[in-house]
Amino acid sequence: MDGEAGGAPEVHRSPAPRDFHFCPTDLYDSEGRLRLFPEEHTRTGRQVPAEMTGEPGGAAPGKAQSDLEEEVQELADLYALGGGGEWGAELVDGSAPRVEVSEPRLHLPAAGAQRDWRPGAEAEDPGCLGWGAAGRDLREAYRYAHGRASEEYECYVIPEEEDEDEAALVFCVTCKAPVRACEVSDAHGEHEVTPLSKALESAKDEIHKNMFKLEKQIIEMENFANHLEEVFITVEENFGRQEQNFESHFNEILETLAQKYEEKIQALGEKKKAKLEALYGQLVSCGENLETCKELMETIEEMCHEEKVDFIQDAVAMADRLGKFLNTETDVEISAQPDFEDQTLDFSDVEQLMGSINTIPAPSAPVINPQAPNSATGSSVRVCWSLYSDDTVESYLLSYRPVQDGSPGKDQAEFTMTVKETYCSVRNLVPNTQYEFWVTAQNRAGRSPASERAMYMTAPSPPVIKSKEIRSCEEAALICWESGNLNPVDSYTVELTQAESPEASGVTESVVGIPTREALVQLQPRQRYTIYVRALSVGGPSARSDPVTVYTTGSFFHLNQHTCHPGLTISEDGFTVVRSERKTPAKEPLPGNTRFTRCVAVMGNLIPIRGRHYWEVEVDERSHYTVGVAFEDVPKQEDLGANCLSWCMRHRLASSRHKYEFLHNGTTPDIRITVSPRKIGILLDYENSKLSFFNADISQHLYTFSCPLHQFVHPCFSLEKPGCLKIHNGISMPKHVTFY
């Protein structure tokens, strides 16, 4: 477009970028638009071209472009901005100055044109709304004139489809940077890429993990700081005790030295006094003797000048006197020598006190810890204790003794062992037994006081499962066991391992908190289970018992030895009943005895589960037998089927004729069986209150009782004459049985 005479800048259309659309409506006509320029400097009543507003009936595109150029020129004149001339300065003749803008030119986008406002696009096409450097100067001048530089007067564009542009980005794992999908095949062809959303989630997860680690580290550092504070306080207290210890030792040494000084001074004074007194007495005696000698000499000299007669008289008396004096012993030996005796001072006790200052003090009493969970086995416990951090210990003395009836036995032997560490595993103990432990610390200075007493308990011995008393069906199993411990335990745990093969292992289920020595465990049908039992006490769980295997393919039970008639013999496997030819002497039943007396029979222990139970009995066609079910309290002095508490099938052989009876309360229906069964199938159906008998070999139904089973019943077997019965249980229910 050619420039006008008024000096309007030359306008060039720039090509419209593809990514974003310039929306002039937001700048010029919207009520909520951002005000690019103040209202006093904008034209009022301006008609916005239709192509810019998007409304029909607007001016032509050329007119819209011309109006926009005029507005820009007016703003340039107002703020005196330009390239080579003085904007806003009037010429002498009053004509408007000519504006010459050479570099950069103002590139105004056409109406509806698009502009790339992505990050980095400004470097390729600088300026605001395509105005270049002049546009920036104009914007800064406006901000300066109005004293604000807020972002509310910035020019914004609205991206047409921001989500599509975001979706076009992927994340290069190799370069660790987001890239465009179109660039993957070029510079990142061999790199590992992932969707940006996935990379964002991964980065968030990594940040969360690091935050978790940081929080954990903060907690550890806080705990460490608390520990340091405790150690600081402990060190301060210990050094305070050391200072008091040194002060008391030095005071004791000073008192000992002062006492020794007083004792030595007193001893020296006494010796001095004794010597001086002895010497003084000897000196006095010597002076007296000397005076006597002088007196005798003077007397003798006077006698020598006397007359003969007087001299003779005095000489005789003098001779006696001299004889007595000379016969008197004169002590000329010095009784006390003047030499000073070497006084040996004994400072051994002082040296001992001095030596004790340099040595460490005796340790404080240790603190024994309570028993930790799972710290005991059936024959050992792990005992732990602690001590002051600054105490020096050479060894510990751990003592213990068993506790009986809740209190330590006075007559119980005490055991002591020397330990170097602050823990010890004490072995060779009695299972499920409580022990009392205490510990002392010692070093060269002596032994500490004993710690407080702590009670530890060994774990129980593993229980012993009664494999002969296990009862099961397709839905459950009843497990019984012996405790194996003299003292009572708190509870038991049954562990189940379900395996398709013997090589498979792993605990799949545990039944805990069992108070008694039996448990009814729910199982899955047609499976094989390996079952263990543990005993639990304060000392922890025992080791596993020996395993037993349970199959849930059918009802499984053993014969009850306590109900067996003396005339019957049960095989070792517990599934065969034999009556021998020899007669068994009759015995009077004991009160409350559960044995059969009149009826030679035995009962089986069927699991107390309502449902359907099936078992088979292999019989001899020539034997007299009775099979069926009965309540546990059936009279043992009556025949089976003779009362209302039993339902039975009875067989007798008379004159080569088989007779079958289905007895209950002494009555039987009139039924004839043409094919004598060798294996009888028995179906007990609690749900339908029925008891059915079958010829298992030919799948023939024999008879069905409708019986009210308000309590659990048990299988029963009887032999009226010598013979044998073999029970088959734990077998799957045949198909022909399921229809009854």
Side-chain angles (χ1 to χ4, degrees):
M1 183 175 180
D2 296 333
E4 298 180 356
E10 184 179 0
V11 178
H12 296 273
R13 294 181 182 273
S14 60
R18 299 178 181 178
D19 298 316
F20 294 90
H21 293 286
F22 174 63
C23 300
T25 303
D26 292 339
L27 295 175
Y28 295 101
D29 198 38
S30 176
E31 293 180 0
R33 62 185 172 87
L34 298 175
R35 298 293 181 180
L36 180 62
F37 301 108
E39 294 180 358
E40 61 269 23
H41 297 302
T42 59
R43 295 181 180 182
T44 59
R46 182 179 68 252
Q47 297 296 327
V48 181
E51 293 180 5
M52 298 178 66
T53 61
E55 299 177 0
K63 178 64 175 174
Q65 187 73 15
S66 176
D67 291 343
L68 186 59
E69 293 172 0
E70 291 177 1
E71 182 179 358
V72 172
Q73 180 62 35
E74 181 182 354
L75 293 172
D77 295 341
L78 176 64
Y79 289 99
L81 297 176
E86 293 287 338
W87 287 78
E90 297 182 356
L91 299 177
V92 177
D93 56 358
S95 61
R98 179 175 179 82
V99 180
E100 297 180 359
V101 181
S102 58
E103 288 296 328
R105 294 187 178 184
L106 301 179
H107 299 279
L108 298 178
Q114 297 179 350
R115 179 168 181 80
D116 190 356
W117 287 94
R118 294 171 299 175
E122 188 176 357
E124 299 175 1
D125 191 7
C128 179
L129 295 178
W131 294 349
R136 290 195 299 272
D137 294 339
L138 187 63
R139 182 175 55 186
E140 296 298 329
Y142 171 76
R143 290 177 176 176
Y144 176 78
H146 289 76
R148 67 181 70 181
S150 89
E151 291 294 330
E152 67 175 321
Y153 294 101
E154 292 286 353
C155 302
Y156 294 98
V157 292
I158 302 174
E160 185 176 5
E161 291 182 1
E162 185 176 356
D163 293 340
E164 293 182 1
D165 184 67
E166 240 182 70
L169 293 176
V170 294
F171 186 77
C172 179
V173 179
T174 306
C175 300
K176 299 185 183 299
V179 297
R180 292 188 176 278
C182 60
E183 300 176 0
V184 173
S185 59
D186 298 334
H188 307 274
E190 298 180 356
H191 295 179
E192 180 184 356
V193 296
T194 183
L196 187 62
S197 59
K198 185 177 180 181
L200 180 61
E201 292 296 329
S202 177
K204 288 181 178 179
D205 292 341
E206 187 67 24
I207 290 176
H208 284 293
K209 290 179 181 178
N210 292 334
M211 289 178 63
F212 176 75
K213 293 180 181 178
L214 185 60
E215 291 177 356
K216 185 177 180 181
Q217 187 174 1
I218 290 174
I219 294 174
E220 291 177 355
M221 293 301 295
E222 290 178 350
N223 294 334
F224 180 70
N226 294 334
H227 179 65
L228 284 179
E229 184 178 359
E230 293 176 358
V231 172
F232 180 86
I233 295 174
T234 303
V235 170
E236 185 179 11
E237 292 177 353
N238 289 340
F239 272 96
R241 288 191 287 110
Q242 293 281 358
E243 291 175 358
Q244 295 177 358
N245 188 25
F246 287 160
E247 183 178 358
S248 89
H249 273 78
F250 277 112
N251 290 336
E252 186 177 358
I253 291 172
L254 292 177
E255 291 177 359
T256 303
L257 289 175
Q259 182 179 357
K260 285 186 172 295
Y261 173 78
E262 294 294 336
E263 292 176 356
K264 291 297 181 182
I265 291 298
Q266 184 177 359
L268 287 175
E270 292 177 353
K271 289 183 178 181
K272 173 184 175 182
K273 180 179 179 182
K275 281 193 174 187
L276 292 179
E277 289 179 351
L279 291 174
Y280 180 76
Q282 195 172 12
L283 182 60
V284 171
S285 175
C286 182
E288 292 177 353
N289 290 334
L290 185 58
E291 290 294 332
T292 303
C293 290
K294 288 181 178 181
E295 181 183 355
L296 290 174
M297 287 297 293
E298 292 176 355
T299 305
I300 291 172
E301 288 180 356
E302 291 178 358
M303 288 175 56
C304 291
H305 296 288
E306 291 180 355
E307 295 294 332
K308 294 181 181 181
V309 178
D310 296 332
F311 178 77
I312 293 297
Q313 293 178 353
D314 294 334
V316 174
M318 183 58 67
D320 294 337
R321 185 178 177 186
L322 284 174
K324 291 180 181 180
F325 178 77
L326 293 175
N327 289 332
T328 303
E329 294 183 358
T330 302
D331 187 8
V332 293
E333 296 289 336
I334 298 177
S335 59
Q337 298 295 328
D339 298 335
F340 181 76
E341 297 179 359
D342 186 13
Q343 299 292 330
T344 303
L345 299 178
D346 184 11
F347 290 102
S348 58
D349 49 354
V350 178
E351 292 175 355
Q352 183 177 0
L353 290 174
M354 292 295 293
S356 64
I357 296 177
N358 298 324
T359 59
I360 56 176
S364 304
V367 178
I368 193 166
N369 300 338
Q371 184 173 4
N374 301 323
S375 62
T377 65
S379 60
S380 67
V381 293
R382 181 181 174 88
V383 186
C384 301
W385 58 90
S386 58
L387 197 68
Y388 285 107
S389 58
D390 279 358
D391 283 347
T392 302
V393 177
E394 296 178 357
S395 62
Y396 299 93
L397 296 178
L398 179 63
S399 303
Y400 64 95
R401 62 182 176 183
V403 177
Q404 293 183 349
D405 300 330
S407 60
K410 297 181 179 179
D411 299 334
Q412 297 293 332
E414 295 183 2
F415 303 92
T416 302
M417 52 196 311
T418 303
V419 185
K420 292 292 185 181
E421 306 295 337
T422 56
Y423 58 88
C424 179
S425 293
V426 184
R427 307 184 185 278
N428 299 324
L429 302 178
V430 180
N432 199 34
T433 303
Q434 197 173 29
Y435 288 85
E436 182 184 41
F437 285 87
W438 64 96
V439 63
T440 57
Q442 61 182 4
N443 57 20
R444 290 177 297 173
R447 184 180 300 180
S448 73
S451 66
E452 295 184 357
R453 308 293 176 102
M455 297 297 177
Y456 280 65
M457 192 167 187
T458 53
S461 298
V464 180
I465 299 179
K466 300 178 181 178
S467 58
K468 297 293 186 181
E469 298 184 14
I470 292 178
R471 294 174 271 173
S472 64
C473 62
E474 291 187 352
E475 302 174 356
L478 182 63
I479 313 298
C480 303
W481 59 85
E482 292 291 343
S483 173
N485 296 275
L486 297 177
N487 297 325
V489 299
D490 296 338
S491 63
Y492 298 93
T493 298
V494 175
E495 298 178 355
L496 311 175
T497 301
Q498 180 179 344
E500 298 294 337
S501 61
E503 292 79 11
S505 61
V507 175
T508 58
E509 184 180 359
S510 295
V511 182
V512 300
I514 303 172
T516 60
R517 293 194 294 271
E518 66 177 23
L520 184 62
V521 184
Q522 300 295 325
L523 303 176
Q524 297 296 325
R526 294 175 295 279
Q527 298 293 330
R528 183 179 69 87
Y529 290 88
T530 302
I531 298 180
Y532 307 87
V533 180
R534 295 180 188 266
L536 280 81
S537 68
V538 177
S542 70
R544 279 180 169 182
S545 65
D546 292 334
V548 294
T549 303
V550 173
Y551 296 89
T552 57
T553 53
S555 298
F556 178 84
F557 59 88
H558 285 89
L559 297 177
N560 190 350
Q561 295 275 2
H562 301 290
T563 63
C564 184
H565 188 277
L568 294 179
T569 303
I570 301 176
S571 62
E572 292 184 1
D573 59 4
F575 303 112
T576 303
V577 181
V578 178
R579 180 172 182 177
S580 60
E581 296 286 347
R582 60 185 179 85
K583 294 184 178 181
T584 305
K587 296 181 179 179
E588 291 296 329
L590 298 175
N593 197 354
T594 59
R595 288 183 181 273
F596 285 97
T597 55
R598 182 174 177 223
C599 179
V600 184
V602 64
M603 297 183 72
N605 280 330
L606 190 64
I607 185 171
I609 291 291
R610 293 190 174 272
R612 307 184 82 187
H613 302 276
Y614 178 80
W615 64 93
E616 295 176 351
V617 183
E618 188 176 342
V619 299
D620 187 355
E621 295 178 352
R622 296 168 296 178
S623 62
H624 294 224
Y625 59 84
T626 303
V627 294
V629 298
F631 288 109
E632 186 176 4
D633 57 349
V634 64
K636 304 302 188 296
Q637 297 82 14
E638 299 180 6
D639 291 333
L640 295 174
N643 48 62
C644 62
L645 301 178
S646 58
W647 296 262
C648 301
M649 173 182 174
R650 181 180 180 185
H651 169 258
R652 288 183 178 181
L653 182 61
S655 302
S656 301
R657 183 180 176 183
H658 298 278
K659 182 179 180 181
Y660 294 92
E661 297 175 312
F662 295 92
L663 297 169
H664 174 64
N665 207 13
T667 62
T668 179
D670 186 11
I671 295 178
R672 300 195 178 199
I673 299 175
T674 57
V675 179
S676 298
R678 295 185 178 179
K679 185 180 289 186
I680 301 173
I682 302 174
L683 174 63
L684 174 62
D685 189 352
Y686 280 102
E687 297 176 355
N688 299 310
S689 298
K690 291 182 179 181
L691 176 67
S692 302
F693 295 88
F694 301 87
N695 187 338
D697 291 332
I698 60 174
S699 303
Q700 180 187 16
H701 173 252
L702 301 178
Y703 184 75
T704 297
F705 285 103
S706 293
C707 44
L709 301 175
H710 55 276
Q711 296 179 3
F712 290 107
V713 295
H714 297 282
C716 54
F717 312 90
S718 174
L719 286 170
E720 297 180 9
K721 291 185 178 181
C724 113
L725 298 175
K726 189 172 183 179
I727 296 95
H728 298 273
N729 57 24
I731 57 178
S732 299
M733 193 177 301
K735 292 183 179 179
H736 67 273
V737 173
T738 58
F739 298 107
Y740 292 92

